Structures are given as C-alpha cells and as structure tokens.
Amino acid sequence: MRGTWFLTATVLVAMLAGCATGTDRTPPVNVSTRSLPAAASAAAEADTPLGRAVMTAVNVWRQGKGESALTTDAVLQRAAAVHAADMVQRDYFGHHNPDGQGPRERVLAVDPAFSASVSENIQRLDGAAYTAMSDAALAAVMVEKWAQSPQHRRIMQAGAATRSGVGIARTGTRIIAVQVFAGN
C-alpha cells in the first residue's frame, strides 16, 4: 500500500510540476523571443484532426461549465504545434524547452506584438491503446485528464481565455498535446 501511495504521489507531482499559468511571465535570461527551434518549426503540423477534436472537446467542456467557446487563433496554434513537435524531436516533456523558451516566449517568437497573457496545458499519452483510439475518444481522454488536475482545470475553464491553439505530435505510441490559451 505504501509503495502504491508513493508512486501515485510521484506521478501527481510530476504532472503538476510541468504546468504553466498566465502568472509565469518572467522569461529566463537570454531566451529567444525571435525564433522557434528550427527543426521543430519545419516539422510542426499546424492543423490536425486530433487537434481539432481537442479544441471541440475543450469547448464542450467549457460550455458545460458556463464559459464561452474558445476561437482558434493562428498565432497560438503555431506556438502549440511547434512546441509539441519539439518535445517529440528532442525527447523531453515540459513547458520550457531545453533552451529555456516557455509558452510566452514561443508566442512572441510567432508574433512579437502579442500582448495578451498566455497559459498552456500539455499532455503526453503513451501506449498502443491510445494510438488505437479515435480522435474524438482521445480528445475526451485528454480533457478528462486535464479536468482532474486543479491547475489544468483552472486554465481550461478561465473565463478570461477567449482564444486557443492546439498542437499535436506523435512518435511511435506516444502522443503529445499542447493547448495554448489567451484572452483578447
């Protein structure tokens, strides 16, 4: 029993440790806001069926909580897609890439004039069971996992968020999802 509790607590801490909110506005020193990782930028898919399914599922969830639907924003979409591709290519998982670039820096690299606050949810699903699921079923799993975490749920439900972009990247049986949120 004790080992199970420790494993559960460790997984929960690891999941929560990678969360970024709109309050994380101080970029690390010397982090680029002018460019995104080149290889990931070239490999990123701006629009995927799973990304559209995630956006739909998040909007259905938000509307069930009394919030308005998010609109897809091309700047946020690009930042999310490149980050998802970068995590797959460089084999890491977190809100900040190995160069120190976080959600805000990525958005500014796409649009230097972007002025709204930025929040981000990320998720990694591993296993053949996930890759065999339909996009709608995968999106439902992702939204449910985010909804189970207070920090992810708060980001997903934030009334100030009006725009979003979803990036998806896959490798083998691993699926990486990134959703970036911003207000007006």
Side-chain angles (χ1 to χ4, degrees), residues 21-39:
T21 66
T23 60
D24 183 19
R25 291 192 178 99
T26 306
V29 178
N30 297 324
V31 173
S32 176
T33 59
R34 291 199 167 96
S35 66
L36 295 167

PDB file of all heavy atoms in Angstrom, residues 21-39:
ATOM      1  N   THR A  21       1.057  28.812 -16.030  1.00  0.00           N
ATOM      2  CA  THR A  21      -0.133  29.647 -15.993  1.00  0.00           C
ATOM      3  C   THR A  21       0.210  31.032 -16.492  1.00  0.00           C
ATOM      4  O   THR A  21       1.366  31.366 -16.699  1.00  0.00           O
ATOM      5  CB  THR A  21      -0.680  29.758 -14.550  1.00  0.00           C
ATOM      6  OG1 THR A  21       0.281  30.467 -13.761  1.00  0.00           O
ATOM      7  CG2 THR A  21      -0.961  28.397 -13.950  1.00  0.00           C
ATOM      8  N   GLY A  22      -0.790  31.842 -16.623  1.00  0.00           N
ATOM      9  CA  GLY A  22      -0.601  33.213 -17.059  1.00  0.00           C
ATOM     10  C   GLY A  22       0.243  34.034 -16.110  1.00  0.00           C
ATOM     11  O   GLY A  22       0.703  35.106 -16.440  1.00  0.00           O
ATOM     12  N   THR A  23       0.482  33.544 -14.887  1.00  0.00           N
ATOM     13  CA  THR A  23       1.286  34.289 -13.935  1.00  0.00           C
ATOM     14  C   THR A  23       2.776  34.065 -14.159  1.00  0.00           C
ATOM     15  O   THR A  23       3.592  34.739 -13.568  1.00  0.00           O
ATOM     16  CB  THR A  23       0.930  33.900 -12.481  1.00  0.00           C
ATOM     17  OG1 THR A  23       1.175  32.497 -12.314  1.00  0.00           O
ATOM     18  CG2 THR A  23      -0.511  34.213 -12.179  1.00  0.00           C
ATOM     19  N   ASP A  24       3.162  33.119 -15.004  1.00  0.00           N
ATOM     20  CA  ASP A  24       4.555  32.821 -15.294  1.00  0.00           C
ATOM     21  C   ASP A  24       5.009  33.730 -16.425  1.00  0.00           C
ATOM     22  O   ASP A  24       5.053  33.335 -17.578  1.00  0.00           O
ATOM     23  CB  ASP A  24       4.683  31.345 -15.688  1.00  0.00           C
ATOM     24  CG  ASP A  24       6.121  30.937 -15.935  1.00  0.00           C
ATOM     25  OD1 ASP A  24       7.027  31.645 -15.474  1.00  0.00           O
ATOM     26  OD2 ASP A  24       6.328  29.901 -16.581  1.00  0.00           O
ATOM     27  N   ARG A  25       5.340  34.985 -16.088  1.00  0.00           N
ATOM     28  CA  ARG A  25       5.628  35.975 -17.127  1.00  0.00           C
ATOM     29  C   ARG A  25       7.098  36.391 -17.186  1.00  0.00           C
ATOM     30  O   ARG A  25       7.460  37.194 -18.009  1.00  0.00           O
ATOM     31  CB  ARG A  25       4.766  37.211 -16.904  1.00  0.00           C
ATOM     32  CG  ARG A  25       3.308  36.930 -17.168  1.00  0.00           C
ATOM     33  CD  ARG A  25       2.526  38.231 -17.224  1.00  0.00           C
ATOM     34  NE  ARG A  25       1.157  37.932 -17.530  1.00  0.00           N
ATOM     35  CZ  ARG A  25       0.180  37.864 -16.634  1.00  0.00           C
ATOM     36  NH1 ARG A  25       0.426  38.083 -15.372  1.00  0.00           N
ATOM     37  NH2 ARG A  25      -1.051  37.578 -16.998  1.00  0.00           N
ATOM     38  N   THR A  26       7.930  35.885 -16.303  1.00  0.00           N
ATOM     39  CA  THR A  26       9.314  36.290 -16.288  1.00  0.00           C
ATOM     40  C   THR A  26      10.147  35.291 -17.073  1.00  0.00           C
ATOM     41  O   THR A  26      10.359  34.175 -16.622  1.00  0.00           O
ATOM     42  CB  THR A  26       9.841  36.367 -14.845  1.00  0.00           C
ATOM     43  OG1 THR A  26       8.979  37.207 -14.095  1.00  0.00           O
ATOM     44  CG2 THR A  26      11.250  36.903 -14.810  1.00  0.00           C
ATOM     45  N   PRO A  27      10.592  35.666 -18.278  1.00  0.00           N
ATOM     46  CA  PRO A  27      11.376  34.716 -19.068  1.00  0.00           C
ATOM     47  C   PRO A  27      12.763  34.528 -18.466  1.00  0.00           C
ATOM     48  O   PRO A  27      13.316  35.453 -17.871  1.00  0.00           O
ATOM     49  CB  PRO A  27      11.468  35.379 -20.444  1.00  0.00           C
ATOM     50  CG  PRO A  27      11.294  36.828 -20.190  1.00  0.00           C
ATOM     51  CD  PRO A  27      10.411  36.935 -18.972  1.00  0.00           C
ATOM     52  N   PRO A  28      13.337  33.332 -18.616  1.00  0.00           N
ATOM     53  CA  PRO A  28      14.716  33.143 -18.186  1.00  0.00           C
ATOM     54  C   PRO A  28      15.624  34.092 -18.971  1.00  0.00           C
ATOM     55  O   PRO A  28      15.276  34.542 -20.058  1.00  0.00           O
ATOM     56  CB  PRO A  28      15.004  31.682 -18.548  1.00  0.00           C
ATOM     57  CG  PRO A  28      13.655  31.039 -18.641  1.00  0.00           C
ATOM     58  CD  PRO A  28      12.725  32.119 -19.109  1.00  0.00           C
ATOM     59  N   VAL A  29      16.777  34.382 -18.422  1.00  0.00           N
ATOM     60  CA  VAL A  29      17.718  35.294 -19.057  1.00  0.00           C
ATOM     61  C   VAL A  29      18.175  34.735 -20.407  1.00  0.00           C
ATOM     62  O   VAL A  29      18.413  33.540 -20.547  1.00  0.00           O
ATOM     63  CB  VAL A  29      18.934  35.514 -18.128  1.00  0.00           C
ATOM     64  CG1 VAL A  29      19.965  36.411 -18.781  1.00  0.00           C
ATOM     65  CG2 VAL A  29      18.472  36.096 -16.806  1.00  0.00           C
ATOM     66  N   ASN A  30      18.291  35.594 -21.407  1.00  0.00           N
ATOM     67  CA  ASN A  30      18.808  35.253 -22.734  1.00  0.00           C
ATOM     68  C   ASN A  30      18.003  34.184 -23.468  1.00  0.00           C
ATOM     69  O   ASN A  30      18.564  33.366 -24.183  1.00  0.00           O
ATOM     70  CB  ASN A  30      20.274  34.816 -22.646  1.00  0.00           C
ATOM     71  CG  ASN A  30      21.155  35.935 -22.151  1.00  0.00           C
ATOM     72  OD1 ASN A  30      20.940  37.100 -22.471  1.00  0.00           O
ATOM     73  ND2 ASN A  30      22.148  35.584 -21.361  1.00  0.00           N
ATOM     74  N   VAL A  31      16.704  34.181 -23.297  1.00  0.00           N
ATOM     75  CA  VAL A  31      15.854  33.234 -24.010  1.00  0.00           C
ATOM     76  C   VAL A  31      15.300  33.920 -25.250  1.00  0.00           C
ATOM     77  O   VAL A  31      14.821  35.041 -25.186  1.00  0.00           O
ATOM     78  CB  VAL A  31      14.702  32.729 -23.114  1.00  0.00           C
ATOM     79  CG1 VAL A  31      13.735  31.887 -23.897  1.00  0.00           C
ATOM     80  CG2 VAL A  31      15.266  31.959 -21.946  1.00  0.00           C
ATOM     81  N   SER A  32      15.351  33.230 -26.361  1.00  0.00           N
ATOM     82  CA  SER A  32      14.923  33.814 -27.625  1.00  0.00           C
ATOM     83  C   SER A  32      13.415  34.011 -27.682  1.00  0.00           C
ATOM     84  O   SER A  32      12.644  33.104 -27.397  1.00  0.00           O
ATOM     85  CB  SER A  32      15.342  32.921 -28.796  1.00  0.00           C
ATOM     86  OG  SER A  32      14.833  33.460 -30.006  1.00  0.00           O
ATOM     87  N   THR A  33      13.024  35.216 -28.050  1.00  0.00           N
ATOM     88  CA  THR A  33      11.628  35.502 -28.381  1.00  0.00           C
ATOM     89  C   THR A  33      11.544  35.861 -29.864  1.00  0.00           C
ATOM     90  O   THR A  33      10.534  36.378 -30.318  1.00  0.00           O
ATOM     91  CB  THR A  33      11.055  36.658 -27.531  1.00  0.00           C
ATOM     92  OG1 THR A  33      11.842  37.831 -27.759  1.00  0.00           O
ATOM     93  CG2 THR A  33      11.039  36.306 -26.059  1.00  0.00           C
ATOM     94  N   ARG A  34      12.616  35.580 -30.599  1.00  0.00           N
ATOM     95  CA  ARG A  34      12.666  35.920 -32.019  1.00  0.00           C
ATOM     96  C   ARG A  34      12.509  34.718 -32.937  1.00  0.00           C
ATOM     97  O   ARG A  34      12.166  34.871 -34.097  1.00  0.00           O
ATOM     98  CB  ARG A  34      13.976  36.633 -32.329  1.00  0.00           C
ATOM     99  CG  ARG A  34      14.033  38.007 -31.704  1.00  0.00           C
ATOM    100  CD  ARG A  34      15.099  38.847 -32.381  1.00  0.00           C
ATOM    101  NE  ARG A  34      14.957  40.227 -32.021  1.00  0.00           N
ATOM    102  CZ  ARG A  34      15.637  40.812 -31.047  1.00  0.00           C
ATOM    103  NH1 ARG A  34      16.478  40.108 -30.323  1.00  0.00           N
ATOM    104  NH2 ARG A  34      15.461  42.096 -30.785  1.00  0.00           N
ATOM    105  N   SER A  35      12.812  33.521 -32.416  1.00  0.00           N
ATOM    106  CA  SER A  35      12.705  32.347 -33.287  1.00  0.00           C
ATOM    107  C   SER A  35      12.336  31.115 -32.476  1.00  0.00           C
ATOM    108  O   SER A  35      12.539  31.065 -31.268  1.00  0.00           O
ATOM    109  CB  SER A  35      14.019  32.111 -34.031  1.00  0.00           C
ATOM    110  OG  SER A  35      15.036  31.753 -33.113  1.00  0.00           O
ATOM    111  N   LEU A  36      11.788  30.145 -33.169  1.00  0.00           N
ATOM    112  CA  LEU A  36      11.431  28.860 -32.589  1.00  0.00           C
ATOM    113  C   LEU A  36      12.474  27.841 -33.035  1.00  0.00           C
ATOM    114  O   LEU A  36      13.170  28.065 -34.023  1.00  0.00           O
ATOM    115  CB  LEU A  36      10.037  28.448 -33.065  1.00  0.00           C
ATOM    116  CG  LEU A  36       8.904  29.355 -32.597  1.00  0.00           C
ATOM    117  CD1 LEU A  36       7.623  29.060 -33.378  1.00  0.00           C
ATOM    118  CD2 LEU A  36       8.674  29.182 -31.111  1.00  0.00           C
ATOM    119  N   PRO A  37      12.605  26.722 -32.331  1.00  0.00           N
ATOM    120  CA  PRO A  37      13.561  25.692 -32.765  1.00  0.00           C
ATOM    121  C   PRO A  37      13.322  25.320 -34.227  1.00  0.00           C
ATOM    122  O   PRO A  37      12.197  24.974 -34.620  1.00  0.00           O
ATOM    123  CB  PRO A  37      13.267  24.523 -31.825  1.00  0.00           C
ATOM    124  CG  PRO A  37      12.678  25.168 -30.596  1.00  0.00           C
ATOM    125  CD  PRO A  37      11.895  26.338 -31.112  1.00  0.00           C
ATOM    126  N   ALA A  38      14.349  25.410 -35.039  1.00  0.00           N
ATOM    127  CA  ALA A  38      14.214  25.275 -36.498  1.00  0.00           C
ATOM    128  C   ALA A  38      13.657  23.918 -36.930  1.00  0.00           C
ATOM    129  O   ALA A  38      12.743  23.855 -37.754  1.00  0.00           O
ATOM    130  CB  ALA A  38      15.556  25.535 -37.173  1.00  0.00           C
ATOM    131  N   ALA A  39      14.195  22.839 -36.400  1.00  0.00           N
ATOM    132  CA  ALA A  39      13.742  21.510 -36.835  1.00  0.00           C
ATOM    133  C   ALA A  39      12.280  21.291 -36.456  1.00  0.00           C
ATOM    134  O   ALA A  39      11.490  20.786 -37.253  1.00  0.00           O
ATOM    135  CB  ALA A  39      14.620  20.426 -36.231  1.00  0.00           C
TER     136      ALA A  39
END
